[in-house]
Amino acid sequence: MYKTLQGRQLLKQEIPHPLRKYLKKDNSIKKVKAMTYDKKNIICRRCGHVNDQDSCQINGGFYCDYCLNMGRITSENYLYRIPKIPQKKSQKTHCFWQGELTKQQACISQEILDSYRRKRHHFVHAVTGAGKTEMLFPLIEQVLTDGKVIGIATPRIDVCLELYPRMKEAFQDTEINLLYGHSSQTYNGASFIICTTHQLMRFYRYFDVLVIDEADAFPYVHSDELQYVAKQSLEKKGCFVFLTATSNPRLENYSNTEKSILAKRFHGQDLPVPKTIYCRNLATNLRKGKLPQKMRIEIEASDQSYILFFPDIALMSMVYPIIKKTWQEKQVAMVHASSRDREKVVKQMREGEIDLLLSTTILERGVTFKNISVMVVCADHRVFNRASLVQISGRVGRSIDYPSGNVIFLHEGKNQTIMSAIKEIKHMNKEAKR
Ligand SMILES: [Zn+2]
């Protein structure tokens, strides 16, 4: 029995010693060369990356540069592709969620189920705060009851961390496996996996249904490699469900795909429309330790907590002590991708213990806080694209008790990105009323 290996694609060194005996015994396990040659290029079979022969040499062989952080893979290695254990026909799975889907949510939920039954991919464009997670419950229940495997993969760890407890609560008697870079869990062969898109590199033809949540997020949307591994981890006749809060032609035009649009938030209120505020020499002044007057006014006028989004860690770290000094009575914290106390800070924010939270774009999506406003500092910086500005705006007003709040874009010049983000938000508000 090798449940803890099923559906995997692994290097020998990734397989625990006691289980290696299966590699020789079981001829359904496929052993393939980890890298293949194509003229001047070396193609990695784990991630699909095309490496240039001259830049990936090691000890007389080659290694893959793209998936290096998943453990080095070289042309000397083999990948072991381990098949799935045939499932029992049906295993009644129960969803414990007590809430009720709105009419629109129920409609889309049904459309996703129909696509699954017809083995078609499905693209869902649901605005921020539409209640995407709940719309998946009927699908998850059905797939697991059919004895099949479902995965929810997302480019962002924070999204995984938020999804997992919600899914645990909704499917209390179902085994769910949470996998990401530093996850405390290891793969256990469960039929319900929540993971980052990077973790899909270790799966081969495992998922009957693979939900890509926040499919328009970096790095997935622009990564041929991550899209390759997602395809490779899906059963040949399996189907994708793409979820995004911003429209995206690259994903929508995926072949054999049905589409659904949900423009209304679950509580029926409008998406907050960003207010743009021009601040002359904004970045330069901040670096000199000067907070713009307009920024202070906005923060002081609000009784909500604020998340202040910064384009990079350097600027944020410079502004952090100034903000602490300016508002000594407020609880101020800072978070970025490599913060050690990231999970703790997010938890404190969720519990309303922080008044001003400084963040990079890592909190732009997938996280829900009650009763907050947001401010994007240097919204015209190239780090912020249309999708991220729409997502950041969508952090506000998500709770039924606090359905509104401020979205402020501080900028030194209104650019095309800012304008197209605002246009999309207004458009969806209009759509919601139709
Ligand atoms: Zn690779």
Side-chain angles (χ1 to χ4, degrees):
M1 200 55 185
Y2 48 87
K3 190 185 169 207
T4 56
L5 289 180
Q6 67 161 337
R8 299 293 261 174
Q9 164 172 270
L10 300 169
L11 296 168
K12 196 171 189 175
Q13 58 263 37
E14 291 173 320
I15 299 169
H17 271 281
L19 296 177
R20 287 187 194 171
K21 60 178 185 243
Y22 290 111
L23 302 180
K24 280 192 184 146
K25 270 194 208 161
D26 190 335
N27 54 18
S28 69
I29 297 175
K30 294 258 175 317
K31 181 182 171 187
V32 298
K33 275 228 159 248
M35 300 178 101
T36 57
Y37 299 76
D38 171 29
K39 293 174 194 159
K40 271 201 81 186
N41 299 317
I42 310 293
I43 300 158
C44 171
R45 290 174 104 167
R46 179 164 69 176
C47 74
H49 184 64
V50 180
N51 294 277
D52 182 66
Q53 212 177 91
D54 301 328
S55 59
C56 65
Q57 298 192 12
I58 188 165
N59 305 331
F62 304 99
Y63 74 99
C64 177
D65 187 40
Y66 186 86
C67 60
L68 197 55
N69 62 356
M70 299 294 287
R72 191 165 67 198
I73 188 165
T74 75
S75 46
E76 298 298 301
N77 293 138
Y78 286 89
L79 282 167
Y80 292 86
R81 293 172 172 170
I82 300 137
K84 229 172 16 180
I85 301 165
Q87 304 270 328
K88 282 181 226 142
K89 267 240 153 101
S90 86
Q91 291 170 316
K92 184 61 196 149
T93 300
H94 180 63
C95 177
F96 287 80
W97 185 60
Q98 292 291 324
E100 207 175 311
L101 295 175
T102 65
K103 216 169 114 200
Q104 289 90 348
Q105 283 177 316
C107 178
I108 292 186
S109 195
Q110 188 58 47
E111 287 169 8
I112 301 172
L113 262 178
D114 289 346
S115 286
Y116 161 65
R117 291 200 177 106
R118 292 164 55 214
K119 297 198 185 313
R120 290 177 71 87
H121 306 306
H122 203 106
F123 176 89
V124 183
H125 175 189
V127 293
T128 53
K132 281 183 290 156
T133 308
E134 291 79 8
M135 283 191 281
L136 290 177
F137 290 161
L139 174 75
I140 296 166
E141 200 173 5
Q142 189 60 53
V143 174
L144 294 173
T145 298
D146 289 346
K148 298 195 172 208
V149 176
I150 186 159
I152 304 181
T154 157
R156 302 296 181 101
I157 290 178
D158 297 275
V159 177
C160 288
L161 293 176
E162 178 139 330
L163 270 176
Y164 180 68
R166 288 172 74 184
M167 290 300 175
K168 279 297 281 179
E169 210 184 318
F171 296 93
Q172 289 164 19
D173 50 12
T174 301
E175 188 178 30
I176 309 177
N177 201 183
L178 173 67
L179 302 171
Y180 58 94
H182 296 287
S183 173
S184 57
Q185 296 187 21
T186 49
Y187 178 63
N188 60 16
S191 297
F192 186 1
I193 310 281
I194 297 176
C195 65
T196 53
T197 42
H198 269 81
Q199 293 295 320
L200 296 176
M201 289 184 203
R202 297 207 177 103
F203 287 99
Y204 188 79
R205 303 272 177 250
Y206 187 52
F207 301 102
D208 297 287
V209 177
L210 183 58
V211 180
I212 308 280
D213 194 9
E214 307 289 353
D216 60 324
F218 174 83
Y220 182 82
V221 70
H222 297 298
S223 165
D224 292 336
E225 290 81 2
L226 290 177
Q227 292 175 30
Y228 168 96
V229 300
K231 266 189 216 162
Q232 192 170 247
S233 69
L234 189 70
E235 274 277 20
K236 274 225 166 89
K237 287 187 175 163
C239 41
F240 281 120
V241 179
F242 299 106
L243 302 178
T244 83
T246 44
S247 56
N248 191 301
R250 194 174 168 166
L251 298 168
E252 283 171 57
N253 297 331
Y254 197 81
S255 63
N256 191 24
T257 301
E258 301 288 336
K259 279 179 222 171
S260 302
I261 295 180
L262 178 50
K264 203 180 240 177
R265 289 190 142 183
F266 79 95
H267 53 48
Q269 303 282 330
D270 272 0
L271 294 162
V273 178
K275 171 173 157 188
T276 57
I277 298 180
Y278 171 73
C279 298
R280 202 170 159 210
N281 299 328
L282 176 61
T284 316
N285 282 335
L286 287 173
R287 279 193 202 98
K288 284 184 190 161
K290 280 192 259 176
L291 292 184
Q293 185 68 14
K294 291 172 187 167
M295 178 180 180
R296 293 181 187 217
I297 293 171
E298 289 296 335
I299 290 176
E300 278 163 17
S302 169
D303 55 3
Q304 289 180 312
S305 298
Y306 253 99
I307 304 183
L308 309 174
F309 286 90
F310 286 82
D312 55 56
I313 300 176
L315 184 65
M316 179 169 81
S317 308
M318 240 176 250
V319 178
Y320 179 66
I322 310 161
I323 289 193
K324 276 195 94 149
K325 207 172 146 196
T326 309
W327 288 286
Q328 291 181 13
E329 73 290 1
K330 289 187 191 287
Q331 288 299 320
V332 183
M334 176 166 80
V335 68
H336 53 81
S338 42
S339 304
R340 282 212 190 126
D341 54 354
R342 176 172 167 182
E343 284 177 46
K344 190 178 134 207
V345 172
V346 170
K347 189 166 169 267
Q348 285 175 326
M349 185 70 190
R350 199 168 284 140
E351 284 162 7
E353 291 166 12
I354 296 172
D355 303 309
L356 295 173
L357 176 61
L358 284 64
S359 171
T360 55
T361 54
I362 58 155
L363 294 187
E364 75 181 21
R365 57 178 80 224
V367 288
T368 297
F369 304 110
K370 268 187 189 173
N371 198 18
I372 60 157
S373 282
V374 299
M375 182 177 280
V376 184
V377 179
C378 304
D380 50 333
H381 191 285
R382 61 186 163 72
V383 159
F384 300 110
N385 58 27
R386 176 180 57 101
S388 59
L389 291 177
V390 169
Q391 287 281 3
I392 287 172
S393 309
R395 296 311 99 206
V396 172
R398 298 171 75 89
S399 129
I400 197 157
D401 302 325
Y402 304 97
S404 61
N406 299 322
V407 179
I408 314 276
F409 291 173
L410 299 183
H411 64 90
E412 292 180 60
K414 227 193 272 181
N415 59 14
Q416 191 54 40
T417 311
I418 294 180
M419 292 194 292
S420 62
I422 296 176
K423 194 173 157 199
E424 178 162 338
I425 292 168
K426 286 183 174 167
H427 172 70
M428 291 312 261
N429 280 340
K430 224 174 178 179
E431 282 288 306
K433 291 190 180 69
R434 291 218 301 190

